[in-house]
Amino acid sequence: MSLIKQLKQEHVEILRLLDALEIALNNGNNHEELLSNLRELKMTLVAHLKLEDKLLYPTLANSKNEEIIKLGAQFAEEMTGITEDVLKYFSKYLKEEISDLKKNEEFKKKTTDIKKIVNKRVKIEEEILYPTYEKENKKDG
């Protein structure tokens, strides 16, 4: 499977998990579902970020085209900030009691914020970054 195809499939899974997390957060007393979604989302996101760092950004950084190098660096830098925010979110909320999280308005707001950030990022990666990678990778391949 191509790298871009895999990354896009992971995007689908990440967005599904964010939706499931939001649903579990707003549904009754199913604390295990919420905890499971939160943990699975963290694992999936971290694996996705590692894959991009290992295979996507280095290809762009090694381009002979200065614009592609800059684009890759810009996306990588932006992703570093997003990653910090997301990891802080998991670090903070995976330590709390799930029953408390369901009542925690800050957690609900942060979850909505994370979902918006990730949705926006997925959109620009798929519209700008991935096509650039595919063009660059075809030249080298």
Side-chain angles (χ1 to χ4, degrees):
M1 173 184 322
S2 78
L3 174 62
I4 298 305
K5 186 173 182 178
Q6 180 176 350
L7 292 171
K8 285 181 176 182
Q9 284 180 345
E10 289 175 2
H11 280 169
V12 170
E13 180 64 7
I14 289 164
L15 296 175
R16 184 196 67 76
L17 288 167
L18 280 164
D19 287 341
L21 179 63
E22 203 168 55
I23 290 167
L25 187 58
N26 295 314
N27 276 351
N29 293 319
N30 193 346
H31 304 316
E32 284 305 311
E33 184 181 355
L34 180 61
L35 181 59
S36 173
N37 288 334
L38 198 55
R39 286 182 177 150
E40 189 176 351
L41 178 61
K42 179 183 180 185
M43 286 186 342
T44 305
L45 266 173
V46 168
H48 180 80
L49 296 171
K50 284 181 180 178
L51 187 59
E52 286 183 340
D53 286 346
K54 182 179 176 188
L55 299 176
L56 182 73
Y57 296 121
T59 298
L60 300 174
N62 291 323
S63 175
K64 291 173 179 44
N65 182 323
E66 195 62 36
E67 287 182 32
I68 291 175
I69 293 169
K70 286 180 185 176
L71 180 73
Q74 176 189 348
F75 270 83
E77 184 178 324
E78 289 170 2
M79 198 68 238
T80 299
I82 292 169
T83 300
E84 281 181 28
D85 290 345
V86 169
L87 291 179
K88 283 180 191 173
Y89 166 85
F90 288 121
S91 176
K92 179 175 183 176
Y93 295 116
L94 276 172
K95 293 177 185 172
E96 292 190 25
E97 288 293 322
I98 294 299
S99 58
D100 293 338
L101 284 180
K102 286 195 167 229
K103 300 175 218 164
N104 185 329
E105 291 304 316
E106 179 189 358
F107 173 66
K108 290 178 182 180
K109 182 185 179 329
K110 289 284 187 191
T111 300
T112 300
D113 291 348
I114 293 290
K115 186 176 176 183
K116 286 178 187 173
I117 290 166
V118 170
N119 272 308
K120 181 179 177 185
R121 181 61 185 211
V122 164
K123 184 175 177 4
I124 64 170
E125 281 184 356
E126 292 189 5
E127 289 177 359
I128 299 169
L129 188 65
Y130 294 174
T132 301
Y133 170 86
E134 286 179 318
K135 284 181 198 168
E136 185 64 16
N137 205 35
K138 281 182 184 168
K139 280 196 280 183
D140 292 342

